[in-house]
Amino acid sequence: GQQLNQSPQSMFIQEGEDVSMNCTSSSIFNTWLWYKQDPGEGPVLLIALYKAGELTSNGRLTAQFGITRKDSFLNISASIPSDVGIYFCAGRLTSGTYKYIFGTGTRLKVLA
Amino acid sequence: GAGVSQSPSNKVTEKGKDVELRCDPISGHTALYWYRQSLGQGLEFLIYFQGNSAPDKSGLPSDRFSAERTGGSVSTLTIQRTQQEDSAVYLCASSAGLGSGGKDTEAFFGQGTRLTVV
C-alpha cells in the first residue's frame, strides 16, 4: 500500500541528545499527525499539525508542517530512555480521500 | 467509551477459517478507520467509514476482506478463508469527524488485534 518516506529508519542515540526525524512525499497534505508506538500497543497521538508552516510543541517534542505541504519533521529534545519506540508520521491528502497515509516508521533506541 | 476498544486482543486461527475482528470507537466519533500492520512494518490502510457515506474500501487487499459498521458505531472486519499472509496486527482508529481539517480529524487508535494464521 501507499506509504510516506520517513527517515531515518532507525537510530541509536545517547540519553540527553536531541533527535530529529522527517517525512516527505510527492503529494500535498492538509494534516500531519505524529504517533509513537510501543511494543504490543497501538499508536499514540503525539502532535497534530493543520497548516503549512505550523510549528507545534508538546513538552520535549516539536513538529513542523512543511511550507510546501509535502513534508513534516519531528524533533525530540533531551531524549530519555522512555522515548524508545517507533515513531510514525501520518498525512492526510487534500482531496479525494480522508484516509491517513502512514510513514514507514523511525525506530528509536536510547542508550542510557 | 474512554478510548477505542478492540476485541479480541489476540486471535489464532487455522488457515482457511473465517475470523471477525471487532472495533468499538470512541463514543460520538463518526469516522472509523481500519489499518493492518505486519511485523516490523508501517500501517497499511484498509478501509474507513464516515457517518452514512459509502465507505472507502480502496485498501482492502482482496475480496476475502470485508467490513461493516452497524448503527454508525461498532465495526466488524471479517476475513474469510484466512491465509498465512493475513497474519498481522489489525488496528482500528476513530476520529470525531472528517471535515476539512482541525482537531475533529485527529485519529485515535485502539490496542489492535494480533491475528496469527497457522
Side-chain angles (χ1 to χ4, degrees):
Chain A
Q2 191 176 5
Q3 289 187 320
L4 298 172
N5 298 315
Q6 186 171 347
S7 65
Q9 189 173 35
S10 65
M11 52 196 315
F12 288 80
I13 60 168
Q14 292 286 337
E15 184 177 357
E17 288 184 345
D18 297 345
V19 174
S20 184
M21 60 192 79
N22 68 84
C23 281
T24 61
S25 174
S26 58
S27 301
I28 295 174
F29 295 94
N30 64 15
T31 302
W32 283 97
L33 305 178
W34 283 92
Y35 291 88
K36 178 175 183 275
Q37 187 177 30
D38 292 327
E41 304 288 328
V44 174
L45 182 62
L46 300 174
I47 290 182
L49 302 159
Y50 310 113
K51 296 187 296 187
E54 180 180 358
L55 185 71
T56 297
S57 293
N58 177 8
R60 294 178 295 106
L61 278 61
T62 301
Q64 185 159 29
F65 194 140
I67 197 71
T68 65
R69 303 172 71 184
K70 295 181 179 180
D71 61 336
S72 177
F73 72 75
L74 174 70
N75 286 342
I76 305 172
S77 63
S79 58
I80 59 178
S82 62
D83 290 334
V84 165
I86 305 176
Y87 292 80
F88 291 102
C89 63
R92 197 179 72 151
L93 295 168
T94 55
S95 64
T97 179
Y98 290 112
K99 69 185 182 186
Y100 281 99
I101 300 170
F102 277 76
T104 46
T106 294
R107 186 180 299 272
L108 179 64
K109 299 188 179 183
V110 180
L111 306 173
Chain B
V4 177
S5 178
Q6 292 188 245
S7 61
S9 54
N10 282 283
K11 175 73 176 178
V12 180
T13 189
E14 291 181 352
K15 178 181 173 180
K17 294 283 181 68
D18 298 352
V19 294
E20 286 190 350
L21 312 179
R22 177 186 168 104
C23 174
D24 281 274
I26 293 172
S27 178
H29 279 194
T30 62
L32 186 147
Y33 306 78
W34 282 99
Y35 285 83
R36 176 169 72 174
Q37 186 175 31
S38 300
L39 187 63
Q41 302 297 310
L43 281 70
E44 175 190 4
F45 169 78
L46 297 177
I47 186 171
Y48 81 76
F49 299 87
Q50 165 59 23
N52 296 320
S53 302
D56 179 347
K57 304 179 181 180
S58 61
L60 295 178
S62 77
D63 59 7
R64 296 187 295 105
F65 288 72
S66 63
E68 63 177 21
R69 190 177 183 193
T70 54
S73 180
V74 172
S75 176
T76 302
L77 177 69
T78 301
I79 308 173
Q80 295 178 310
R81 306 180 302 282
T82 52
Q83 303 295 313
Q84 288 185 327
E85 61 262 28
D86 298 335
S87 296
V89 175
Y90 289 82
L91 291 159
C92 175
S94 70
S95 63
L98 291 177
S100 58
K103 290 189 69 63
D104 64 347
T105 64
E106 293 175 8
F108 298 91
F109 281 85
Q111 300 279 66
T113 293
R114 182 176 298 277
L115 175 67
T116 304
V117 181
V118 297

